[in-house]
Amino acid sequence: MNLENLQEKIDTIIISNASTENKLQTICDFLESEISYYDWVGFYFKNGDKNELKLAQYTGEETEHTIIPFGKGICGQVAVSNENFIVQDVSEQDNYISCGWKVKSEIVIPIFVNGENIGQIDIDSHTANTFSEKDTALLEYVCRKLSRIL
């Protein structure tokens, strides 16, 4: 994974004249196509004043998890903890919401705007033990850049 090249492409997407929704979708499509073990890439955002997340743009298989209560699953836990969450083997998590039998690992990074956790990027992989510090660095970069346009 060449972080510098990936970050440059993210910058190009962010500064484009596209709508925010199109930028989010383009980021999903780009990450899924560029990183072989990113099998599902999506964004969840806080659903108004409710203590739940709502699925926004994503790339990958359809999911029935379009609404996730705070505290439930990996995404719901990140909404409460405000911290990155990496699960190298989802079968070892008690509070995991299965998005499909193929998913073996997951990484979720929160997006902060003015210090508030407004959403997150969620990546599922069909490969266990696949996420590294480079993935964390890339996705934190994506979230920092997005925080400027959200």
Side-chain angles (χ1 to χ4, degrees):
M1 173 187 301
N2 184 320
L3 277 178
E4 196 171 297
N5 286 348
L6 293 169
Q7 289 171 342
E8 286 175 10
K9 289 289 275 177
I10 293 297
D11 289 344
T12 301
I13 295 167
I14 296 287
I15 64 171
S16 74
N17 290 326
S19 69
T20 300
E21 292 78 16
N22 283 343
K23 290 176 186 182
L24 291 169
Q25 187 63 56
T26 302
I27 289 169
C28 291
D29 297 342
F30 170 71
L31 291 173
E32 189 269 341
S33 70
E34 290 296 313
I35 302 173
S36 63
Y37 52 92
Y38 283 19
D39 297 300
W40 191 94
V41 179
F43 290 99
Y44 283 92
F45 291 101
K46 186 173 183 198
N47 191 11
D49 291 335
K50 300 175 184 175
N51 285 330
E52 64 185 23
L53 297 165
K54 185 174 182 179
L55 180 63
Q57 290 71 22
Y58 72 94
T59 297
E61 294 180 15
E62 285 191 34
T63 178
E64 62 189 44
H65 304 292
T66 58
I67 300 290
I68 299 176
F70 283 11
K72 187 162 172 67
I74 307 308
C75 291
Q77 290 177 73
V78 169
V80 173
S81 72
N82 298 318
E83 296 179 2
N84 299 347
F85 200 149
I86 301 170
V87 179
Q88 297 290 9
D89 183 350
V90 297
S91 70
E92 295 178 357
Q93 282 295 312
D94 293 336
N95 192 13
Y96 174 69
I97 301 173
S98 176
C99 292
W101 64 271
K102 295 179 196 172
V103 178
K104 303 291 186 237
S105 58
E106 182 174 8
I107 183 170
V108 179
I109 308 292
I111 303 168
F112 294 96
V113 173
N114 298 322
E116 179 186 354
N117 181 348
I118 62 146
Q120 53 202 229
I121 189 168
D122 177 22
I123 315 284
D124 291 343
S125 179
H126 298 165
T127 307
N129 301 305
T130 195
F131 297 116
S132 71
E133 290 177 13
K134 284 187 174 184
D135 296 290
T136 300
L138 173 63
L139 298 173
E140 285 177 344
Y141 183 86
V142 169
C143 292
R144 274 194 312 275
K145 290 294 185 167
L146 282 173
S147 72
R148 298 175 185 170
I149 66 165
L150 294 173

Coordinates of all heavy atoms in Angstrom, one line a residue, residues 25-98:
Q25 N -19.3 8.7 -2.2 CA -19.4 7.5 -3.0 C -18.1 7.2 -3.8 O -17.7 6.0 -3.9 CB -20.6 7.6 -4.0 CG -20.9 6.3 -4.8 CD -21.2 5.2 -3.8 OE1 -22.2 5.3 -3.1 NE2 -20.5 4.0 -3.9
T26 N -17.5 8.2 -4.3 CA -16.2 8.0 -5.1 C -15.1 7.5 -4.2 O -14.3 6.7 -4.6 CB -15.8 9.4 -5.8 OG1 -16.9 9.8 -6.6 CG2 -14.5 9.2 -6.6
I27 N -15.1 8.0 -2.9 CA -14.1 7.5 -2.0 C -14.3 6.0 -1.7 O -13.4 5.2 -1.7 CB -14.1 8.3 -0.7 CG1 -13.5 9.7 -0.9 CG2 -13.4 7.6 0.5 CD1 -13.7 10.7 0.2
C28 N -15.6 5.6 -1.5 CA -15.9 4.2 -1.3 C -15.5 3.4 -2.5 O -14.8 2.3 -2.3 CB -17.4 4.0 -1.1 SG -18.1 4.6 0.4
D29 N -15.8 3.8 -3.7 CA -15.5 3.0 -4.9 C -14.0 3.0 -5.0 O -13.4 1.9 -5.4 CB -16.1 3.7 -6.1 CG -17.6 3.7 -6.1 OD1 -18.2 2.9 -5.3 OD2 -18.2 4.5 -6.8
F30 N -13.3 4.1 -4.8 CA -11.8 4.2 -5.0 C -11.1 3.2 -4.0 O -10.3 2.4 -4.4 CB -11.3 5.6 -4.8 CG -9.9 5.7 -4.7 CD1 -9.1 5.5 -5.8 CD2 -9.2 6.0 -3.5 CE1 -7.7 5.6 -5.7 CE2 -7.9 6.1 -3.4 CZ -7.1 5.9 -4.5
L31 N -11.5 3.3 -2.7 CA -10.8 2.4 -1.7 C -11.0 1.0 -2.0 O -10.1 0.2 -1.9 CB -11.2 2.8 -0.3 CG -10.8 4.2 0.2 CD1 -11.4 4.5 1.5 CD2 -9.3 4.3 0.3
E32 N -12.3 0.6 -2.3 CA -12.6 -0.8 -2.6 C -11.9 -1.3 -3.8 O -11.4 -2.4 -3.8 CB -14.1 -0.9 -2.8 CG -14.6 -2.3 -2.8 CD -14.7 -2.9 -4.2 OE1 -14.7 -2.1 -5.2 OE2 -14.7 -4.1 -4.4
S33 N -11.7 -0.5 -4.8 CA -11.0 -0.9 -6.0 C -9.5 -0.9 -5.9 O -8.8 -1.7 -6.5 CB -11.4 -0.1 -7.2 OG -10.8 1.2 -7.1
E34 N -8.9 -0.1 -5.1 CA -7.5 0.1 -4.9 C -6.8 -0.9 -3.9 O -5.7 -1.2 -4.0 CB -7.1 1.5 -4.6 CG -7.3 2.5 -5.7 CD -6.4 2.2 -6.9 OE1 -5.2 2.0 -6.7 OE2 -6.9 2.3 -8.0
I35 N -7.6 -1.3 -2.9 CA -7.1 -2.1 -1.8 C -7.8 -3.5 -1.9 O -9.0 -3.6 -1.6 CB -7.2 -1.4 -0.5 CG1 -6.4 -0.1 -0.5 CG2 -6.6 -2.3 0.6 CD1 -6.6 0.8 0.6
S36 N -7.0 -4.5 -2.3 CA -7.6 -5.8 -2.6 C -8.4 -6.4 -1.5 O -9.4 -7.1 -1.7 CB -6.5 -6.8 -3.0 OG -5.6 -7.0 -2.0
Y37 N -8.1 -6.1 -0.2 CA -8.8 -6.8 0.9 C -9.9 -5.9 1.5 O -10.5 -6.2 2.5 CB -7.8 -7.2 2.0 CG -6.8 -6.2 2.4 CD1 -7.1 -5.4 3.5 CD2 -5.6 -6.0 1.8 CE1 -6.3 -4.4 4.0 CE2 -4.7 -5.0 2.2 CZ -5.1 -4.2 3.3 OH -4.2 -3.2 3.7
Y38 N -10.2 -4.8 0.8 CA -11.3 -3.9 1.2 C -12.5 -4.4 0.4 O -12.7 -4.0 -0.7 CB -11.1 -2.4 0.9 CG -10.2 -1.7 1.9 CD1 -9.3 -2.4 2.7 CD2 -10.2 -0.3 1.9 CE1 -8.4 -1.7 3.6 CE2 -9.3 0.4 2.8 CZ -8.5 -0.3 3.6 OH -7.7 0.4 4.5
D39 N -13.3 -5.3 1.0 CA -14.4 -5.9 0.3 C -15.8 -5.2 0.5 O -16.7 -5.4 -0.3 CB -14.6 -7.4 0.8 CG -13.4 -8.2 0.5 OD1 -13.0 -8.3 -0.7 OD2 -12.7 -8.7 1.4
W40 N -15.9 -4.3 1.5 CA -17.1 -3.5 1.7 C -16.6 -2.2 2.3 O -15.8 -2.2 3.3 CB -18.1 -4.2 2.6 CG -19.4 -3.5 2.7 CD1 -20.5 -3.8 1.9 CD2 -19.8 -2.4 3.5 NE1 -21.6 -3.0 2.2 CE2 -21.2 -2.1 3.2 CE3 -19.2 -1.7 4.5 CZ2 -21.9 -1.1 3.9 CZ3 -19.9 -0.7 5.1 CH2 -21.3 -0.4 4.8
V41 N -16.9 -1.1 1.7 CA -16.5 0.2 2.2 C -17.7 1.1 2.3 O -18.5 1.2 1.3 CB -15.5 0.9 1.3 CG1 -15.1 2.3 1.8 CG2 -14.2 0.0 1.1
G42 N -18.0 1.7 3.5 CA -19.2 2.5 3.6 C -19.0 3.6 4.7 O -18.1 3.5 5.5
F43 N -20.0 4.5 4.7 CA -20.1 5.5 5.6 C -21.4 5.4 6.4 O -22.4 5.2 5.8 CB -20.0 6.9 5.0 CG -18.7 7.2 4.4 CD1 -18.4 7.1 3.0 CD2 -17.6 7.7 5.2 CE1 -17.2 7.4 2.5 CE2 -16.4 8.0 4.7 CZ -16.1 7.8 3.3
Y44 N -21.3 5.6 7.7 CA -22.5 5.7 8.6 C -22.4 7.1 9.2 O -21.3 7.5 9.6 CB -22.5 4.6 9.7 CG -22.9 3.3 9.2 CD1 -21.9 2.3 8.8 CD2 -24.2 2.9 9.2 CE1 -22.3 1.1 8.4 CE2 -24.6 1.6 8.8 CZ -23.6 0.7 8.4 OH -24.0 -0.6 8.0
F45 N -23.5 7.7 9.3 CA -23.6 9.0 10.0 C -24.7 9.0 11.1 O -25.7 8.3 11.0 CB -23.8 10.1 9.0 CG -22.7 10.4 8.1 CD1 -22.7 9.9 6.8 CD2 -21.6 11.1 8.5 CE1 -21.6 10.0 5.9 CE2 -20.5 11.3 7.6 CZ -20.5 10.7 6.3
K46 N -24.5 9.9 12.1 CA -25.5 10.0 13.1 C -26.8 10.4 12.5 O -26.8 11.3 11.6 CB -25.0 11.1 14.1 CG -25.9 11.2 15.3 CD -25.4 12.1 16.4 CE -26.4 12.0 17.6 NZ -26.3 13.1 18.5
N47 N -27.9 9.7 12.9 CA -29.2 9.9 12.3 C -29.9 11.0 13.1 O -30.7 10.7 14.0 CB -30.0 8.6 12.3 CG -31.2 8.7 11.5 OD1 -31.4 9.6 10.8 ND2 -32.1 7.7 11.7
G48 N -29.7 12.3 12.7 CA -30.3 13.4 13.4 C -30.0 13.4 14.9 O -28.9 13.3 15.3
D49 N -31.1 13.6 15.7 CA -30.9 13.6 17.1 C -31.0 12.2 17.8 O -31.0 12.1 19.0 CB -31.9 14.6 17.8 CG -31.6 16.0 17.4 OD1 -30.5 16.3 17.1 OD2 -32.6 16.8 17.4
K50 N -31.2 11.2 17.0 CA -31.4 9.9 17.5 C -30.0 9.3 17.9 O -29.0 9.6 17.3 CB -32.1 9.0 16.5 CG -33.4 9.5 16.1 CD -34.0 8.6 15.0 CE -35.3 9.2 14.5 NZ -35.8 8.4 13.3
N51 N -30.0 8.4 18.8 CA -28.8 7.7 19.2 C -28.6 6.4 18.3 O -28.7 5.3 18.8 CB -28.8 7.3 20.7 CG -28.6 8.5 21.6 OD1 -27.9 9.4 21.2 ND2 -29.2 8.4 22.7
E52 N -28.5 6.7 17.0 CA -28.3 5.7 16.1 C -27.5 6.2 14.9 O -27.5 7.4 14.6 CB -29.6 5.1 15.6 CG -30.5 6.1 14.9 CD -31.9 5.5 14.6 OE1 -32.4 4.6 15.2 OE2 -32.5 6.1 13.6
L53 N -27.0 5.3 14.1 CA -26.3 5.6 12.9 C -27.1 5.2 11.7 O -27.9 4.2 11.8 CB -24.9 4.8 12.8 CG -23.9 5.1 13.9 CD1 -22.8 4.0 13.9 CD2 -23.3 6.5 13.7
K54 N -27.0 5.9 10.6 CA -27.7 5.6 9.4 C -26.7 5.4 8.3 O -25.8 6.2 8.1 CB -28.7 6.8 9.1 CG -29.6 6.5 7.9 CD -30.6 7.6 7.7 CE -31.5 7.2 6.5 NZ -32.5 8.2 6.3
L55 N -26.9 4.4 7.5 CA -26.0 4.1 6.4 C -26.1 5.1 5.3 O -27.3 5.5 4.9 CB -26.3 2.7 5.8 CG -25.5 2.2 4.6 CD1 -24.0 2.1 5.0 CD2 -26.0 0.9 4.0
A56 N -25.0 5.6 4.8 CA -25.0 6.6 3.7 C -24.4 5.8 2.5 O -24.9 4.7 2.2 CB -24.2 7.8 4.1
Q57 N -23.4 6.4 1.9 CA -22.8 5.8 0.7 C -22.0 4.6 1.1 O -21.3 4.6 2.1 CB -21.9 6.9 0.0 CG -22.7 8.0 -0.7 CD -23.3 9.0 0.3 OE1 -22.9 9.1 1.4 NE2 -24.4 9.6 -0.2
Y58 N -22.0 3.6 0.1 CA -21.2 2.4 0.4 C -20.9 1.7 -1.0 O -21.6 2.0 -2.0 CB -21.8 1.5 1.4 CG -23.1 0.8 0.9 CD1 -23.0 -0.5 0.3 CD2 -24.3 1.3 0.9 CE1 -24.1 -1.2 -0.2 CE2 -25.4 0.7 0.5 CZ -25.3 -0.6 -0.1 OH -26.4 -1.2 -0.6
T59 N -19.9 0.8 -1.0 CA -19.6 0.0 -2.1 C -19.4 -1.4 -1.5 O -18.8 -1.6 -0.5 CB -18.3 0.4 -2.7 OG1 -18.4 1.7 -3.2 CG2 -17.9 -0.5 -3.9
G60 N -20.1 -2.4 -2.2 CA -20.0 -3.8 -1.8 C -21.4 -4.4 -1.7 O -22.3 -3.8 -2.2
E61 N -21.5 -5.6 -1.2 CA -22.8 -6.2 -1.1 C -23.7 -5.4 -0.3 O -23.4 -4.7 0.7 CB -22.6 -7.6 -0.5 CG -21.7 -8.6 -1.3 CD -21.6 -9.9 -0.7 OE1 -22.3 -10.3 0.3 OE2 -20.7 -10.7 -1.2
E62 N -25.0 -5.6 -0.6 CA -26.1 -4.9 0.1 C -26.1 -5.4 1.6 O -25.7 -6.5 1.8 CB -27.4 -5.1 -0.5 CG -27.7 -4.3 -1.8 CD -29.1 -4.4 -2.2 OE1 -30.0 -4.4 -1.3 OE2 -29.3 -4.3 -3.4
T63 N -26.5 -4.5 2.5 CA -26.5 -4.9 3.9 C -27.9 -4.5 4.4 O -28.5 -3.5 4.0 CB -25.5 -4.1 4.7 OG1 -25.6 -4.5 6.1 CG2 -25.5 -2.6 4.6
E64 N -28.4 -5.3 5.3 CA -29.7 -5.0 6.0 C -29.4 -4.0 7.1 O -30.4 -3.5 7.7 CB -30.3 -6.3 6.5 CG -29.5 -7.0 7.5 CD -30.0 -8.4 7.9 OE1 -30.4 -9.1 6.9 OE2 -30.1 -8.7 9.1
H65 N -28.2 -3.8 7.5 CA -27.9 -2.9 8.6 C -27.8 -1.5 8.2 O -26.7 -0.9 8.1 CB -26.6 -3.4 9.3 CG -26.6 -4.8 9.7 ND1 -27.4 -5.2 10.7 CD2 -25.9 -5.9 9.2 CE1 -27.2 -6.5 10.8 NE2 -26.4 -6.9 9.9
T66 N -28.9 -0.9 7.8 CA -29.0 0.5 7.4 C -29.1 1.4 8.6 O -28.8 2.6 8.5 CB -30.1 0.7 6.4 OG1 -31.4 0.3 7.0 CG2 -29.9 -0.1 5.1
I67 N -29.6 0.9 9.7 CA -29.7 1.7 11.0 C -29.0 0.8 12.1 O -29.3 -0.3 12.2 CB -31.2 1.9 11.4 CG1 -31.9 2.7 10.3 CG2 -31.3 2.6 12.8 CD1 -31.5 4.2 10.2
I68 N -28.1 1.5 12.8 CA -27.4 0.7 13.8 C -27.5 1.6 15.1 O -27.0 2.7 15.2 CB -25.9 0.5 13.5 CG1 -25.8 -0.3 12.2 CG2 -25.1 -0.1 14.6 CD1 -24.3 -0.5 11.7
P69 N -28.1 1.0 16.2 CA -28.2 1.7 17.4 C -26.8 2.0 18.0 O -25.9 1.1 17.9 CB -29.0 0.8 18.3 CG -29.7 -0.2 17.4 CD -28.8 -0.3 16.2
F70 N -26.6 3.1 18.7 CA -25.4 3.4 19.4 C -25.1 2.2 20.4 O -26.0 1.7 21.1 CB -25.4 4.7 20.2 CG -25.3 5.9 19.3 CD1 -25.3 5.9 18.0 CD2 -25.1 7.1 19.9 CE1 -25.2 7.0 17.2 CE2 -24.9 8.3 19.2 CZ -25.0 8.2 17.8
G71 N -23.9 1.8 20.4 CA -23.5 0.7 21.3 C -23.6 -0.7 20.7 O -23.0 -1.6 21.2
K72 N -24.3 -0.9 19.6 CA -24.5 -2.2 19.0 C -23.5 -2.4 17.9 O -23.4 -1.6 17.0 CB -25.9 -2.3 18.6 CG -26.3 -3.7 18.1 CD -27.8 -3.9 18.0 CE -28.2 -5.2 17.4 NZ -27.9 -6.4 18.1
G73 N -22.8 -3.5 17.9 CA -21.9 -3.9 16.8 C -20.7 -3.0 16.9 O -20.5 -2.1 17.8
I74 N -19.8 -3.2 16.0 CA -18.5 -2.4 16.0 C -18.8 -0.9 15.7 O -18.3 0.0 16.4 CB -17.5 -3.0 14.9 CG1 -17.3 -4.5 15.1 CG2 -16.2 -2.2 15.0 CD1 -16.9 -4.9 16.5
C75 N -19.6 -0.7 14.7 CA -20.0 0.7 14.4 C -20.7 1.4 15.5 O -20.3 2.6 15.9 CB -20.8 0.8 13.1 SG -20.0 0.3 11.6
G76 N -21.6 0.8 16.2 CA -22.3 1.3 17.3 C -21.4 1.6 18.5 O -21.6 2.6 19.2
Q77 N -20.4 0.7 18.7 CA -19.4 0.9 19.7 C -18.5 2.2 19.5 O -18.2 2.9 20.4 CB -18.6 -0.3 19.9 CG -19.4 -1.5 20.5 CD -18.5 -2.7 20.6 OE1 -17.6 -2.8 21.5 NE2 -18.8 -3.7 19.8
V78 N -18.2 2.4 18.2 CA -17.3 3.5 17.9 C -18.1 4.8 18.0 O -17.6 5.8 18.5 CB -16.8 3.4 16.4 CG1 -16.1 4.7 15.9 CG2 -15.8 2.2 16.4
A79 N -19.4 4.8 17.8 CA -20.3 5.9 18.0 C -20.2 6.4 19.5 O -20.4 7.6 19.8 CB -21.7 5.7 17.5
V80 N -20.1 5.4 20.4 CA -20.0 5.7 21.8 C -18.6 6.0 22.3 O -18.4 7.0 23.1 CB -20.7 4.5 22.6 CG1 -20.5 4.7 24.1 CG2 -22.1 4.4 22.2
S81 N -17.7 5.2 21.9 CA -16.3 5.3 22.4 C -15.5 6.5 21.8 O -14.5 7.0 22.4 CB -15.5 4.0 22.1 OG -15.2 3.9 20.8
N82 N -15.9 6.9 20.6 CA -15.2 7.9 19.8 C -13.7 7.5 19.5 O -12.9 8.3 19.3 CB -15.1 9.2 20.5 CG -16.5 9.8 20.7 OD1 -17.3 9.8 19.9 ND2 -16.8 10.3 21.9
E83 N -13.5 6.2 19.4 CA -12.1 5.7 19.1 C -12.2 4.7 18.0 O -13.2 4.0 17.7 CB -11.6 5.0 20.4 CG -11.4 5.9 21.6 CD -10.9 5.2 22.8 OE1 -10.6 3.9 22.7 OE2 -10.7 5.9 23.8
N84 N -11.0 4.6 17.3 CA -10.9 3.6 16.2 C -11.2 2.2 16.8 O -10.9 1.9 18.0 CB -9.5 3.6 15.7 CG -9.1 4.9 15.1 OD1 -9.9 5.8 14.8 ND2 -7.8 5.1 14.8
F85 N -11.7 1.3 16.0 CA -11.9 -0.1 16.4 C -11.5 -1.0 15.3 O -12.0 -0.9 14.2 CB -13.4 -0.3 16.8 CG -13.7 -1.5 17.7 CD1 -14.7 -1.4 18.5 CD2 -12.9 -2.6 17.6 CE1 -15.0 -2.5 19.4 CE2 -13.2 -3.7 18.5 CZ -14.3 -3.6 19.3
I86 N -10.5 -1.8 15.6 CA -10.0 -2.8 14.6 C -10.3 -4.2 15.1 O -9.9 -4.5 16.2 CB -8.5 -2.7 14.3 CG1 -8.2 -1.3 13.8 CG2 -8.1 -3.7 13.3 CD1 -6.8 -0.9 13.7
V87 N -11.0 -5.0 14.3 CA -11.3 -6.4 14.7 C -10.7 -7.3 13.7 O -11.1 -7.3 12.5 CB -12.8 -6.6 14.7 CG1 -13.1 -8.1 15.1 CG2 -13.5 -5.7 15.7
Q88 N -9.6 -8.0 14.1 CA -8.9 -8.8 13.1 C -9.6 -10.1 12.9 O -9.4 -10.8 11.8 CB -7.5 -9.1 13.6 CG -6.6 -7.8 13.8 CD -6.2 -7.2 12.4 OE1 -6.7 -7.6 11.4 NE2 -5.4 -6.2 12.5
D89 N -10.5 -10.5 13.8 CA -11.3 -11.8 13.6 C -12.6 -11.6 14.3 O -12.8 -11.6 15.5 CB -10.5 -12.9 14.3 CG -11.3 -14.3 14.1 OD1 -12.4 -14.3 13.6 OD2 -10.7 -15.3 14.5
V90 N -13.6 -11.3 13.4 CA -15.0 -11.0 13.9 C -15.6 -12.1 14.8 O -16.4 -11.8 15.6 CB -15.9 -10.5 12.8 CG1 -15.4 -9.3 12.1 CG2 -16.1 -11.6 11.8
S91 N -15.1 -13.3 14.6 CA -15.7 -14.4 15.3 C -15.4 -14.3 16.8 O -16.0 -15.0 17.6 CB -15.3 -15.8 14.8 OG -13.9 -16.0 15.0
E92 N -14.4 -13.5 17.2 CA -14.0 -13.4 18.5 C -14.7 -12.2 19.3 O -14.4 -11.9 20.4 CB -12.4 -13.2 18.6 CG -11.7 -14.4 18.1 CD -10.2 -14.2 18.2 OE1 -9.7 -13.1 18.5 OE2 -9.5 -15.2 17.8
Q93 N -15.6 -11.5 18.6 CA -16.3 -10.3 19.1 C -17.7 -10.7 19.6 O -18.5 -11.3 18.8 CB -16.4 -9.2 18.1 CG -15.1 -8.4 17.9 CD -14.7 -7.7 19.2 OE1 -15.5 -7.0 19.8 NE2 -13.5 -7.8 19.6
D94 N -18.0 -10.5 20.9 CA -19.3 -10.8 21.4 C -20.4 -9.8 20.8 O -21.5 -10.2 20.6 CB -19.3 -10.7 22.9 CG -18.5 -11.7 23.6 OD1 -18.3 -12.8 22.9 OD2 -18.0 -11.5 24.7
N95 N -20.0 -8.5 20.6 CA -21.0 -7.5 20.2 C -20.8 -7.2 18.7 O -20.8 -6.0 18.3 CB -20.8 -6.2 21.1 CG -21.9 -5.3 20.9 OD1 -22.9 -5.5 20.3 ND2 -21.7 -4.0 21.4
Y96 N -20.7 -8.2 17.9 CA -20.5 -8.0 16.5 C -21.8 -8.3 15.8 O -22.5 -9.2 16.0 CB -19.4 -9.0 16.0 CG -19.3 -9.0 14.4 CD1 -18.7 -7.9 13.8 CD2 -19.7 -10.1 13.7 CE1 -18.6 -7.9 12.4 CE2 -19.6 -10.0 12.3 CZ -19.1 -8.9 11.7 OH -19.0 -8.9 10.3
I97 N -22.1 -7.4 14.8 CA -23.3 -7.6 14.0 C -22.8 -8.2 12.6 O -22.1 -7.5 11.9 CB -24.0 -6.2 13.7 CG1 -24.5 -5.6 15.0 CG2 -25.2 -6.5 12.7 CD1 -25.0 -4.2 14.7
S98 N -23.2 -9.4 12.3 CA -22.7 -10.0 11.1 C -23.4 -9.4 9.9 O -24.6 -9.3 9.8 CB -23.1 -11.5 11.2 OG -22.7 -12.1 10.0

